[in-house]
Amino acid sequence: MQDLQTLESEINANITAAADIDALESLRINELGKKGRVSLLMRELGTMSADEKKEFGPKLNQLKNNLNDAVQLRKETLEQVALNIKLASESVDISLTAVSQELGSIHPITQVMDEVSEIFTEMGFSVAEGPEIEEDFYNFTALNIPEEHPARQMHDTFYFPKGEDGTRKLLRTHTSPVQIRTMMQGEPPYRIIAPGRTYRNDSDATHTPMFHQVEALVIDKDIHMGHLKWAIEEFARKFFEIENVKIRFRPSYFPFTEPSAEVDIGCSFKNGEIRIGEGDDWLEIMGCGMVNDRVLENVDLDPKIYQGFAFGMGLDRIAMLKWGIPDLRDFFAADLRWLKHYGFQALDIPSLSTRSSALKGSK
Ligand code: DAH
């Protein structure tokens, strides 16, 4: 029988010399596999006398175990080396400035929200927020839309399952609940806008289940409809960057305002494109009115002392109008080509403060 120690050191040397995982694996199969030298020795045991077996058996087993351990150790070392090489070759220097043609862009809705906020904050409004998962009280009841009111049906509300207390939450159907939340905190005067997402179960070229509105609320002691008209006209002139935007107020009905009106912007629909500042068509962009006395009472304000106006404007609508985007559904299709076409450069945000046009001087 071959000198086991010599055999072990010879195979050990080969294991240490194996340059990569593949070489190590074929070495393992050759030496320790079924037809390898160690297995052949094992087989020889069968032909030995009992005494010889006693002597060689444990030694052979020890040899086999030692070599298997050595292979495992070498394998781990080689894997670590391979990983280090891979990591080094794939490392990214995150401190380097990204220079790429594939820059992201600002979504038109984000852009509209920024512009609207800028215009109204310049007029002295502050920006308020409310939750998108809303309670019935804020979305309906406090806004003078009691249970069984037909206006509830018109809202195509998404409801959550009933909670333990028997009430069910909903996805807010408009930004108007922020009016209630604002008036229930702190004292008047209030002068806020509240842009955000709203939800209704409705979908076609001009309706999507999620859409965007901006709410406005002004409450003080001497507010009248003239203020409402002025604020909307001033906004439209600045937002659309057209000095004589055509605006029309149509009498309407909302439970939370009295009197109420809807506002249309003059435009044209030609060859599948909307154009503002020309044509004889109209696109409705908002509902508005003087806050209903009942709403004021619901939030413990005395209508004999306080009055105010409110409006709710469709942000998606005014984005379509301003940039001539024909189909509302495209806003939310996440089509990169569309986003590239209609998106805005991150560092190229048009704003009142950077605009040089005649608008600034024509207050
Ligand atoms: N909340 C109404 C809607 O989504 C829009 C609206 C109308 C808001 C009149 C107002 C308002 O604040 O005064 O249809």
Side-chain angles (χ1 to χ4, degrees), residues 132 139 158 171-177 196-200 208-215 313 316:
E132 289 171 30
N139 196 80
F158 288 113
L171 287 176
R172 68 177 179 191
T173 57
H174 50 178
T175 41
S176 303
R197 294 194 185 101
T198 48
Y199 303 83
R200 289 184 203 178
T208 48
M210 190 276 294
F211 56 106
H212 299 81
Q213 290 189 338
V214 61
E215 194 77 13
M313 177 163 56
D316 319 85

mmCIF file with all atom_site columns, all heavy atoms in Angstrom, residues 132 139 158 171-177 196-200 208-215 313 316:
data_model
loop_
_atom_site.group_PDB
_atom_site.id
_atom_site.type_symbol
_atom_site.label_atom_id
_atom_site.label_alt_id
_atom_site.label_comp_id
_atom_site.label_asym_id
_atom_site.label_entity_id
_atom_site.label_seq_id
_atom_site.pdbx_PDB_ins_code
_atom_site.Cartn_x
_atom_site.Cartn_y
_atom_site.Cartn_z
_atom_site.occupancy
_atom_site.B_iso_or_equiv
_atom_site.pdbx_formal_charge
_atom_site.auth_seq_id
_atom_site.auth_comp_id
_atom_site.auth_asym_id
_atom_site.auth_atom_id
_atom_site.pdbx_PDB_model_num
ATOM 1   N N   . GLU A 1 132 ? -55.633 61.462 1.936   1.00 0.00 ? 132 GLU A N   1
ATOM 2   C CA  . GLU A 1 132 ? -56.375 60.939 0.773   1.00 0.00 ? 132 GLU A CA  1
ATOM 3   C C   . GLU A 1 132 ? -57.392 59.896 1.216   1.00 0.00 ? 132 GLU A C   1
ATOM 4   O O   . GLU A 1 132 ? -58.414 59.702 0.582   1.00 0.00 ? 132 GLU A O   1
ATOM 5   C CB  . GLU A 1 132 ? -55.392 60.339 -0.238  1.00 0.00 ? 132 GLU A CB  1
ATOM 6   C CG  . GLU A 1 132 ? -54.580 61.415 -0.932  1.00 0.00 ? 132 GLU A CG  1
ATOM 7   C CD  . GLU A 1 132 ? -53.443 60.885 -1.775  1.00 0.00 ? 132 GLU A CD  1
ATOM 8   O OE1 . GLU A 1 132 ? -53.539 59.763 -2.303  1.00 0.00 ? 132 GLU A OE1 1
ATOM 9   O OE2 . GLU A 1 132 ? -52.437 61.604 -1.897  1.00 0.00 ? 132 GLU A OE2 1
ATOM 10  N N   . ASN A 1 139 ? -65.545 64.515 4.063   1.00 0.00 ? 139 ASN A N   1
ATOM 11  C CA  . ASN A 1 139 ? -65.746 64.480 2.604   1.00 0.00 ? 139 ASN A CA  1
ATOM 12  C C   . ASN A 1 139 ? -67.178 64.885 2.228   1.00 0.00 ? 139 ASN A C   1
ATOM 13  O O   . ASN A 1 139 ? -67.400 65.451 1.160   1.00 0.00 ? 139 ASN A O   1
ATOM 14  C CB  . ASN A 1 139 ? -65.443 63.087 2.058   1.00 0.00 ? 139 ASN A CB  1
ATOM 15  C CG  . ASN A 1 139 ? -65.241 63.072 0.549   1.00 0.00 ? 139 ASN A CG  1
ATOM 16  O OD1 . ASN A 1 139 ? -64.169 63.410 0.061   1.00 0.00 ? 139 ASN A OD1 1
ATOM 17  N ND2 . ASN A 1 139 ? -66.280 62.711 -0.209  1.00 0.00 ? 139 ASN A ND2 1
ATOM 18  N N   . PHE A 1 158 ? -65.157 55.559 -3.907  1.00 0.00 ? 158 PHE A N   1
ATOM 19  C CA  . PHE A 1 158 ? -64.505 54.298 -3.525  1.00 0.00 ? 158 PHE A CA  1
ATOM 20  C C   . PHE A 1 158 ? -64.553 54.208 -2.001  1.00 0.00 ? 158 PHE A C   1
ATOM 21  O O   . PHE A 1 158 ? -63.932 55.027 -1.320  1.00 0.00 ? 158 PHE A O   1
ATOM 22  C CB  . PHE A 1 158 ? -63.029 54.299 -3.934  1.00 0.00 ? 158 PHE A CB  1
ATOM 23  C CG  . PHE A 1 158 ? -62.772 54.176 -5.409  1.00 0.00 ? 158 PHE A CG  1
ATOM 24  C CD1 . PHE A 1 158 ? -62.219 55.239 -6.119  1.00 0.00 ? 158 PHE A CD1 1
ATOM 25  C CD2 . PHE A 1 158 ? -63.022 52.985 -6.081  1.00 0.00 ? 158 PHE A CD2 1
ATOM 26  C CE1 . PHE A 1 158 ? -61.942 55.122 -7.473  1.00 0.00 ? 158 PHE A CE1 1
ATOM 27  C CE2 . PHE A 1 158 ? -62.741 52.860 -7.436  1.00 0.00 ? 158 PHE A CE2 1
ATOM 28  C CZ  . PHE A 1 158 ? -62.208 53.932 -8.133  1.00 0.00 ? 158 PHE A CZ  1
ATOM 29  N N   . LEU A 1 171 ? -61.907 56.960 -0.213  1.00 0.00 ? 171 LEU A N   1
ATOM 30  C CA  . LEU A 1 171 ? -60.869 57.755 -0.882  1.00 0.00 ? 171 LEU A CA  1
ATOM 31  C C   . LEU A 1 171 ? -61.515 59.096 -1.197  1.00 0.00 ? 171 LEU A C   1
ATOM 32  O O   . LEU A 1 171 ? -62.600 59.128 -1.796  1.00 0.00 ? 171 LEU A O   1
ATOM 33  C CB  . LEU A 1 171 ? -60.408 57.070 -2.167  1.00 0.00 ? 171 LEU A CB  1
ATOM 34  C CG  . LEU A 1 171 ? -59.546 55.828 -1.967  1.00 0.00 ? 171 LEU A CG  1
ATOM 35  C CD1 . LEU A 1 171 ? -59.236 55.163 -3.303  1.00 0.00 ? 171 LEU A CD1 1
ATOM 36  C CD2 . LEU A 1 171 ? -58.240 56.191 -1.258  1.00 0.00 ? 171 LEU A CD2 1
ATOM 37  N N   . ARG A 1 172 ? -60.908 60.176 -0.785  1.00 0.00 ? 172 ARG A N   1
ATOM 38  C CA  . ARG A 1 172 ? -61.586 61.464 -0.943  1.00 0.00 ? 172 ARG A CA  1
ATOM 39  C C   . ARG A 1 172 ? -61.970 61.700 -2.401  1.00 0.00 ? 172 ARG A C   1
ATOM 40  O O   . ARG A 1 172 ? -61.182 61.421 -3.316  1.00 0.00 ? 172 ARG A O   1
ATOM 41  C CB  . ARG A 1 172 ? -60.740 62.603 -0.388  1.00 0.00 ? 172 ARG A CB  1
ATOM 42  C CG  . ARG A 1 172 ? -59.471 62.878 -1.163  1.00 0.00 ? 172 ARG A CG  1
ATOM 43  C CD  . ARG A 1 172 ? -58.730 64.071 -0.591  1.00 0.00 ? 172 ARG A CD  1
ATOM 44  N NE  . ARG A 1 172 ? -57.497 64.307 -1.318  1.00 0.00 ? 172 ARG A NE  1
ATOM 45  C CZ  . ARG A 1 172 ? -56.557 65.152 -0.911  1.00 0.00 ? 172 ARG A CZ  1
ATOM 46  N NH1 . ARG A 1 172 ? -56.679 65.832 0.214   1.00 0.00 ? 172 ARG A NH1 1
ATOM 47  N NH2 . ARG A 1 172 ? -55.466 65.317 -1.642  1.00 0.00 ? 172 ARG A NH2 1
ATOM 48  N N   . THR A 1 173 ? -63.177 62.172 -2.617  1.00 0.00 ? 173 THR A N   1
ATOM 49  C CA  . THR A 1 173 ? -63.679 62.349 -3.979  1.00 0.00 ? 173 THR A CA  1
ATOM 50  C C   . THR A 1 173 ? -63.374 63.754 -4.493  1.00 0.00 ? 173 THR A C   1
ATOM 51  O O   . THR A 1 173 ? -63.582 64.039 -5.666  1.00 0.00 ? 173 THR A O   1
ATOM 52  C CB  . THR A 1 173 ? -65.198 62.129 -4.023  1.00 0.00 ? 173 THR A CB  1
ATOM 53  O OG1 . THR A 1 173 ? -65.813 63.048 -3.103  1.00 0.00 ? 173 THR A OG1 1
ATOM 54  C CG2 . THR A 1 173 ? -65.559 60.710 -3.640  1.00 0.00 ? 173 THR A CG2 1
ATOM 55  N N   . HIS A 1 174 ? -62.930 64.612 -3.617  1.00 0.00 ? 174 HIS A N   1
ATOM 56  C CA  . HIS A 1 174 ? -62.533 65.972 -3.992  1.00 0.00 ? 174 HIS A CA  1
ATOM 57  C C   . HIS A 1 174 ? -61.602 66.533 -2.916  1.00 0.00 ? 174 HIS A C   1
ATOM 58  O O   . HIS A 1 174 ? -61.417 65.893 -1.871  1.00 0.00 ? 174 HIS A O   1
ATOM 59  C CB  . HIS A 1 174 ? -63.752 66.876 -4.211  1.00 0.00 ? 174 HIS A CB  1
ATOM 60  C CG  . HIS A 1 174 ? -64.779 66.858 -3.114  1.00 0.00 ? 174 HIS A CG  1
ATOM 61  N ND1 . HIS A 1 174 ? -65.911 67.637 -3.124  1.00 0.00 ? 174 HIS A ND1 1
ATOM 62  C CD2 . HIS A 1 174 ? -64.840 66.162 -1.942  1.00 0.00 ? 174 HIS A CD2 1
ATOM 63  C CE1 . HIS A 1 174 ? -66.619 67.415 -2.021  1.00 0.00 ? 174 HIS A CE1 1
ATOM 64  N NE2 . HIS A 1 174 ? -66.002 66.529 -1.298  1.00 0.00 ? 174 HIS A NE2 1
ATOM 65  N N   . THR A 1 175 ? -60.999 67.685 -3.173  1.00 0.00 ? 175 THR A N   1
ATOM 66  C CA  . THR A 1 175 ? -60.108 68.267 -2.165  1.00 0.00 ? 175 THR A CA  1
ATOM 67  C C   . THR A 1 175 ? -60.888 69.118 -1.170  1.00 0.00 ? 175 THR A C   1
ATOM 68  O O   . THR A 1 175 ? -60.311 69.652 -0.221  1.00 0.00 ? 175 THR A O   1
ATOM 69  C CB  . THR A 1 175 ? -58.997 69.117 -2.835  1.00 0.00 ? 175 THR A CB  1
ATOM 70  O OG1 . THR A 1 175 ? -59.574 69.871 -3.908  1.00 0.00 ? 175 THR A OG1 1
ATOM 71  C CG2 . THR A 1 175 ? -57.891 68.244 -3.372  1.00 0.00 ? 175 THR A CG2 1
ATOM 72  N N   . SER A 1 176 ? -62.215 69.235 -1.351  1.00 0.00 ? 176 SER A N   1
ATOM 73  C CA  . SER A 1 176 ? -63.015 70.088 -0.461  1.00 0.00 ? 176 SER A CA  1
ATOM 74  C C   . SER A 1 176 ? -62.930 69.718 1.031   1.00 0.00 ? 176 SER A C   1
ATOM 75  O O   . SER A 1 176 ? -63.055 70.610 1.871   1.00 0.00 ? 176 SER A O   1
ATOM 76  C CB  . SER A 1 176 ? -64.469 70.113 -0.929  1.00 0.00 ? 176 SER A CB  1
ATOM 77  O OG  . SER A 1 176 ? -64.535 70.553 -2.260  1.00 0.00 ? 176 SER A OG  1
ATOM 78  N N   . PRO A 1 177 ? -62.742 68.423 1.411   1.00 0.00 ? 177 PRO A N   1
ATOM 79  C CA  . PRO A 1 177 ? -62.606 68.154 2.849   1.00 0.00 ? 177 PRO A CA  1
ATOM 80  C C   . PRO A 1 177 ? -61.492 68.944 3.524   1.00 0.00 ? 177 PRO A C   1
ATOM 81  O O   . PRO A 1 177 ? -61.546 69.178 4.733   1.00 0.00 ? 177 PRO A O   1
ATOM 82  C CB  . PRO A 1 177 ? -62.349 66.639 2.922   1.00 0.00 ? 177 PRO A CB  1
ATOM 83  C CG  . PRO A 1 177 ? -62.128 66.168 1.528   1.00 0.00 ? 177 PRO A CG  1
ATOM 84  C CD  . PRO A 1 177 ? -62.779 67.166 0.643   1.00 0.00 ? 177 PRO A CD  1
ATOM 85  N N   . GLY A 1 196 ? -53.876 68.287 -4.563  1.00 0.00 ? 196 GLY A N   1
ATOM 86  C CA  . GLY A 1 196 ? -53.658 66.878 -4.221  1.00 0.00 ? 196 GLY A CA  1
ATOM 87  C C   . GLY A 1 196 ? -54.451 65.916 -5.074  1.00 0.00 ? 196 GLY A C   1
ATOM 88  O O   . GLY A 1 196 ? -55.194 66.308 -5.979  1.00 0.00 ? 196 GLY A O   1
ATOM 89  N N   . ARG A 1 197 ? -54.295 64.621 -4.720  1.00 0.00 ? 197 ARG A N   1
ATOM 90  C CA  . ARG A 1 197 ? -54.963 63.570 -5.477  1.00 0.00 ? 197 ARG A CA  1
ATOM 91  C C   . ARG A 1 197 ? -56.392 63.377 -4.985  1.00 0.00 ? 197 ARG A C   1
ATOM 92  O O   . ARG A 1 197 ? -56.663 63.476 -3.797  1.00 0.00 ? 197 ARG A O   1
ATOM 93  C CB  . ARG A 1 197 ? -54.240 62.241 -5.286  1.00 0.00 ? 197 ARG A CB  1
ATOM 94  C CG  . ARG A 1 197 ? -52.863 62.214 -5.870  1.00 0.00 ? 197 ARG A CG  1
ATOM 95  C CD  . ARG A 1 197 ? -52.367 60.779 -5.929  1.00 0.00 ? 197 ARG A CD  1
ATOM 96  N NE  . ARG A 1 197 ? -50.999 60.773 -6.386  1.00 0.00 ? 197 ARG A NE  1
ATOM 97  C CZ  . ARG A 1 197 ? -49.963 60.629 -5.557  1.00 0.00 ? 197 ARG A CZ  1
ATOM 98  N NH1 . ARG A 1 197 ? -50.157 60.447 -4.279  1.00 0.00 ? 197 ARG A NH1 1
ATOM 99  N NH2 . ARG A 1 197 ? -48.747 60.672 -6.027  1.00 0.00 ? 197 ARG A NH2 1
ATOM 100 N N   . THR A 1 198 ? -57.264 63.028 -5.931  1.00 0.00 ? 198 THR A N   1
ATOM 101 C CA  . THR A 1 198 ? -58.665 62.742 -5.607  1.00 0.00 ? 198 THR A CA  1
ATOM 102 C C   . THR A 1 198 ? -59.080 61.515 -6.417  1.00 0.00 ? 198 THR A C   1
ATOM 103 O O   . THR A 1 198 ? -58.427 61.179 -7.415  1.00 0.00 ? 198 THR A O   1
ATOM 104 C CB  . THR A 1 198 ? -59.550 63.948 -5.979  1.00 0.00 ? 198 THR A CB  1
ATOM 105 O OG1 . THR A 1 198 ? -59.205 64.362 -7.300  1.00 0.00 ? 198 THR A OG1 1
ATOM 106 C CG2 . THR A 1 198 ? -59.330 65.113 -5.035  1.00 0.00 ? 198 THR A CG2 1
ATOM 107 N N   . TYR A 1 199 ? -60.160 60.860 -5.993  1.00 0.00 ? 199 TYR A N   1
ATOM 108 C CA  . TYR A 1 199 ? -60.501 59.551 -6.581  1.00 0.00 ? 199 TYR A CA  1
ATOM 109 C C   . TYR A 1 199 ? -61.994 59.405 -6.846  1.00 0.00 ? 199 TYR A C   1
ATOM 110 O O   . TYR A 1 199 ? -62.812 59.714 -5.969  1.00 0.00 ? 199 TYR A O   1
ATOM 111 C CB  . TYR A 1 199 ? -60.079 58.439 -5.623  1.00 0.00 ? 199 TYR A CB  1
ATOM 112 C CG  . TYR A 1 199 ? -58.614 58.468 -5.264  1.00 0.00 ? 199 TYR A CG  1
ATOM 113 C CD1 . TYR A 1 199 ? -58.145 59.308 -4.248  1.00 0.00 ? 199 TYR A CD1 1
ATOM 114 C CD2 . TYR A 1 199 ? -57.692 57.684 -5.942  1.00 0.00 ? 199 TYR A CD2 1
ATOM 115 C CE1 . TYR A 1 199 ? -56.797 59.352 -3.916  1.00 0.00 ? 199 TYR A CE1 1
ATOM 116 C CE2 . TYR A 1 199 ? -56.348 57.715 -5.620  1.00 0.00 ? 199 TYR A CE2 1
ATOM 117 C CZ  . TYR A 1 199 ? -55.907 58.554 -4.608  1.00 0.00 ? 199 TYR A CZ  1
ATOM 118 O OH  . TYR A 1 199 ? -54.567 58.594 -4.282  1.00 0.00 ? 199 TYR A OH  1
ATOM 119 N N   . ARG A 1 200 ? -62.337 58.954 -8.032  1.00 0.00 ? 200 ARG A N   1
ATOM 120 C CA  . ARG A 1 200 ? -63.730 58.583 -8.307  1.00 0.00 ? 200 ARG A CA  1
ATOM 121 C C   . ARG A 1 200 ? -63.738 57.390 -9.250  1.00 0.00 ? 200 ARG A C   1
ATOM 122 O O   . ARG A 1 200 ? -62.867 57.270 -10.117 1.00 0.00 ? 200 ARG A O   1
ATOM 123 C CB  . ARG A 1 200 ? -64.498 59.744 -8.958  1.00 0.00 ? 200 ARG A CB  1
ATOM 124 C CG  . ARG A 1 200 ? -64.760 60.850 -7.970  1.00 0.00 ? 200 ARG A CG  1
ATOM 125 C CD  . ARG A 1 200 ? -65.601 61.947 -8.566  1.00 0.00 ? 200 ARG A CD  1
ATOM 126 N NE  . ARG A 1 200 ? -65.363 63.172 -7.809  1.00 0.00 ? 200 ARG A NE  1
ATOM 127 C CZ  . ARG A 1 200 ? -65.897 64.332 -8.075  1.00 0.00 ? 200 ARG A CZ  1
ATOM 128 N NH1 . ARG A 1 200 ? -66.728 64.470 -9.094  1.00 0.00 ? 200 ARG A NH1 1
ATOM 129 N NH2 . ARG A 1 200 ? -65.625 65.383 -7.340  1.00 0.00 ? 200 ARG A NH2 1
ATOM 130 N N   . THR A 1 208 ? -60.283 59.929 -15.144 1.00 0.00 ? 208 THR A N   1
ATOM 131 C CA  . THR A 1 208 ? -59.483 58.786 -14.679 1.00 0.00 ? 208 THR A CA  1
ATOM 132 C C   . THR A 1 208 ? -59.844 58.547 -13.216 1.00 0.00 ? 208 THR A C   1
ATOM 133 O O   . THR A 1 208 ? -60.206 59.482 -12.512 1.00 0.00 ? 208 THR A O   1
ATOM 134 C CB  . THR A 1 208 ? -57.972 59.093 -14.797 1.00 0.00 ? 208 THR A CB  1
ATOM 135 O OG1 . THR A 1 208 ? -57.716 60.384 -14.232 1.00 0.00 ? 208 THR A OG1 1
ATOM 136 C CG2 . THR A 1 208 ? -57.514 59.057 -16.224 1.00 0.00 ? 208 THR A CG2 1
ATOM 137 N N   . PRO A 1 209 ? -59.732 57.288 -12.748 1.00 0.00 ? 209 PRO A N   1
ATOM 138 C CA  . PRO A 1 209 ? -60.142 57.001 -11.360 1.00 0.00 ? 209 PRO A CA  1
ATOM 139 C C   . PRO A 1 209 ? -59.378 57.835 -10.330 1.00 0.00 ? 209 PRO A C   1
ATOM 140 O O   . PRO A 1 209 ? -59.894 58.155 -9.282  1.00 0.00 ? 209 PRO A O   1
ATOM 141 C CB  . PRO A 1 209 ? -59.823 55.523 -11.190 1.00 0.00 ? 209 PRO A CB  1
ATOM 142 C CG  . PRO A 1 209 ? -59.721 54.977 -12.574 1.00 0.00 ? 209 PRO A CG  1
ATOM 143 C CD  . PRO A 1 209 ? -59.309 56.095 -13.476 1.00 0.00 ? 209 PRO A CD  1
ATOM 144 N N   . MET A 1 210 ? -58.126 58.162 -10.645 1.00 0.00 ? 210 MET A N   1
ATOM 145 C CA  . MET A 1 210 ? -57.377 59.085 -9.786  1.00 0.00 ? 210 MET A CA  1
ATOM 146 C C   . MET A 1 210 ? -57.126 60.328 -10.614 1.00 0.00 ? 210 MET A C   1
ATOM 147 O O   . MET A 1 210 ? -56.749 60.222 -11.779 1.00 0.00 ? 210 MET A O   1
ATOM 148 C CB  . MET A 1 210 ? -56.057 58.434 -9.364  1.00 0.00 ? 210 MET A CB  1
ATOM 149 C CG  . MET A 1 210 ? -55.295 59.178 -8.299  1.00 0.00 ? 210 MET A CG  1
ATOM 150 S SD  . MET A 1 210 ? -54.274 60.486 -8.971  1.00 0.00 ? 210 MET A SD  1
ATOM 151 C CE  . MET A 1 210 ? -53.075 59.545 -9.908  1.00 0.00 ? 210 MET A CE  1
ATOM 152 N N   . PHE A 1 211 ? -57.408 61.466 -10.037 1.00 0.00 ? 211 PHE A N   1
ATOM 153 C CA  . PHE A 1 211 ? -57.130 62.722 -10.734 1.00 0.00 ? 211 PHE A CA  1
ATOM 154 C C   . PHE A 1 211 ? -56.682 63.752 -9.706  1.00 0.00 ? 211 PHE A C   1
ATOM 155 O O   . PHE A 1 211 ? -56.491 63.407 -8.534  1.00 0.00 ? 211 PHE A O   1
ATOM 156 C CB  . PHE A 1 211 ? -58.351 63.178 -11.549 1.00 0.00 ? 211 PHE A CB  1
ATOM 157 C CG  . PHE A 1 211 ? -59.620 63.325 -10.743 1.00 0.00 ? 211 PHE A CG  1
ATOM 158 C CD1 . PHE A 1 211 ? -60.109 64.585 -10.419 1.00 0.00 ? 211 PHE A CD1 1
ATOM 159 C CD2 . PHE A 1 211 ? -60.324 62.218 -10.293 1.00 0.00 ? 211 PHE A CD2 1
ATOM 160 C CE1 . PHE A 1 211 ? -61.283 64.728 -9.668  1.00 0.00 ? 211 PHE A CE1 1
ATOM 161 C CE2 . PHE A 1 211 ? -61.491 62.352 -9.535  1.00 0.00 ? 211 PHE A CE2 1
ATOM 162 C CZ  . PHE A 1 211 ? -61.966 63.603 -9.226  1.00 0.00 ? 211 PHE A CZ  1
ATOM 163 N N   . HIS A 1 212 ? -56.470 64.979 -10.144 1.00 0.00 ? 212 HIS A N   1
ATOM 164 C CA  . HIS A 1 212 ? -55.904 65.973 -9.226  1.00 0.00 ? 212 HIS A CA  1
ATOM 165 C C   . HIS A 1 212 ? -56.758 67.229 -9.180  1.00 0.00 ? 212 HIS A C   1
ATOM 166 O O   . HIS A 1 212 ? -57.266 67.666 -10.214 1.00 0.00 ? 212 HIS A O   1
ATOM 167 C CB  . HIS A 1 212 ? -54.495 66.354 -9.656  1.00 0.00 ? 212 HIS A CB  1
ATOM 168 C CG  . HIS A 1 212 ? -53.550 65.199 -9.660  1.00 0.00 ? 212 HIS A CG  1
ATOM 169 N ND1 . HIS A 1 212 ? -53.493 64.290 -10.699 1.00 0.00 ? 212 HIS A ND1 1
ATOM 170 C CD2 . HIS A 1 212 ? -52.667 64.773 -8.736  1.00 0.00 ? 212 HIS A CD2 1
ATOM 171 C CE1 . HIS A 1 212 ? -52.585 63.377 -10.404 1.00 0.00 ? 212 HIS A CE1 1
ATOM 172 N NE2 . HIS A 1 212 ? -52.075 63.643 -9.232  1.00 0.00 ? 212 HIS A NE2 1
ATOM 173 N N   . GLN A 1 213 ? -56.889 67.766 -8.007  1.00 0.00 ? 213 GLN A N   1
ATOM 174 C CA  . GLN A 1 213 ? -57.599 69.034 -7.856  1.00 0.00 ? 213 GLN A CA  1
ATOM 175 C C   . GLN A 1 213 ? -56.760 69.979 -7.015  1.00 0.00 ? 213 GLN A C   1
ATOM 176 O O   . GLN A 1 213 ? -55.865 69.552 -6.297  1.00 0.00 ? 213 GLN A O   1
ATOM 177 C CB  . GLN A 1 213 ? -58.927 68.824 -7.111  1.00 0.00 ? 213 GLN A CB  1
ATOM 178 C CG  . GLN A 1 213 ? -59.988 68.084 -7.892  1.00 0.00 ? 213 GLN A CG  1
ATOM 179 C CD  . GLN A 1 213 ? -61.346 68.100 -7.192  1.00 0.00 ? 213 GLN A CD  1
ATOM 180 O OE1 . GLN A 1 213 ? -61.423 68.288 -5.978  1.00 0.00 ? 213 GLN A OE1 1
ATOM 181 N NE2 . GLN A 1 213 ? -62.399 67.914 -7.956  1.00 0.00 ? 213 GLN A NE2 1
ATOM 182 N N   . VAL A 1 214 ? -57.112 71.262 -7.101  1.00 0.00 ? 214 VAL A N   1
ATOM 183 C CA  . VAL A 1 214 ? -56.609 72.191 -6.097  1.00 0.00 ? 214 VAL A CA  1
ATOM 184 C C   . VAL A 1 214 ? -57.824 72.915 -5.526  1.00 0.00 ? 214 VAL A C   1
ATOM 185 O O   . VAL A 1 214 ? -58.684 73.384 -6.258  1.00 0.00 ? 214 VAL A O   1
ATOM 186 C CB  . VAL A 1 214 ? -55.553 73.174 -6.649  1.00 0.00 ? 214 VAL A CB  1
ATOM 187 C CG1 . VAL A 1 214 ? -56.107 74.040 -7.769  1.00 0.00 ? 214 VAL A CG1 1
ATOM 188 C CG2 . VAL A 1 214 ? -55.015 74.056 -5.534  1.00 0.00 ? 214 VAL A CG2 1
ATOM 189 N N   . GLU A 1 215 ? -57.891 72.905 -4.217  1.00 0.00 ? 215 GLU A N   1
ATOM 190 C CA  . GLU A 1 215 ? -58.979 73.571 -3.521  1.00 0.00 ? 215 GLU A CA  1
ATOM 191 C C   . GLU A 1 215 ? -58.490 74.942 -3.077  1.00 0.00 ? 215 GLU A C   1
ATOM 192 O O   . GLU A 1 215 ? -57.299 75.116 -2.809  1.00 0.00 ? 215 GLU A O   1
ATOM 193 C CB  . GLU A 1 215 ? -59.331 72.741 -2.266  1.00 0.00 ? 215 GLU A CB  1
ATOM 194 C CG  . GLU A 1 215 ? -60.632 73.115 -1.637  1.00 0.00 ? 215 GLU A CG  1
ATOM 195 C CD  . GLU A 1 215 ? -61.807 72.547 -2.434  1.00 0.00 ? 215 GLU A CD  1
ATOM 196 O OE1 . GLU A 1 215 ? -61.589 71.678 -3.307  1.00 0.00 ? 215 GLU A OE1 1
ATOM 197 O OE2 . GLU A 1 215 ? -62.936 72.988 -2.171  1.00 0.00 ? 215 GLU A OE2 1
ATOM 198 N N   . MET A 1 313 ? -60.499 73.199 -8.451  1.00 0.00 ? 313 MET A N   1
ATOM 199 C CA  . MET A 1 313 ? -60.127 73.235 -9.872  1.00 0.00 ? 313 MET A CA  1
ATOM 200 C C   . MET A 1 313 ? -59.463 71.926 -10.265 1.00 0.00 ? 313 MET A C   1
ATOM 201 O O   . MET A 1 313 ? -58.701 71.343 -9.480  1.00 0.00 ? 313 MET A O   1
ATOM 202 C CB  . MET A 1 313 ? -59.162 74.407 -10.069 1.00 0.00 ? 313 MET A CB  1
ATOM 203 C CG  . MET A 1 313 ? -58.612 74.553 -11.467 1.00 0.00 ? 313 MET A CG  1
ATOM 204 S SD  . MET A 1 313 ? -57.903 76.198 -11.710 1.00 0.00 ? 313 MET A SD  1
ATOM 205 C CE  . MET A 1 313 ? -56.707 76.295 -10.412 1.00 0.00 ? 313 MET A CE  1
ATOM 206 N N   . ASP A 1 316 ? -55.542 68.367 -13.751 1.00 0.00 ? 316 ASP A N   1
ATOM 207 C CA  . ASP A 1 316 ? -55.262 67.637 -14.999 1.00 0.00 ? 316 ASP A CA  1
ATOM 208 C C   . ASP A 1 316 ? -55.846 68.404 -16.184 1.00 0.00 ? 316 ASP A C   1
ATOM 209 O O   . ASP A 1 316 ? -55.238 68.523 -17.241 1.00 0.00 ? 316 ASP A O   1
ATOM 210 C CB  . ASP A 1 316 ? -55.861 66.236 -14.929 1.00 0.00 ? 316 ASP A CB  1
ATOM 211 C CG  . ASP A 1 316 ? -55.649 65.612 -13.557 1.00 0.00 ? 316 ASP A CG  1
ATOM 212 O OD1 . ASP A 1 316 ? -56.470 65.883 -12.660 1.00 0.00 ? 316 ASP A OD1 1
ATOM 213 O OD2 . ASP A 1 316 ? -54.660 64.883 -13.397 1.00 0.00 ? 316 ASP A OD2 1
#
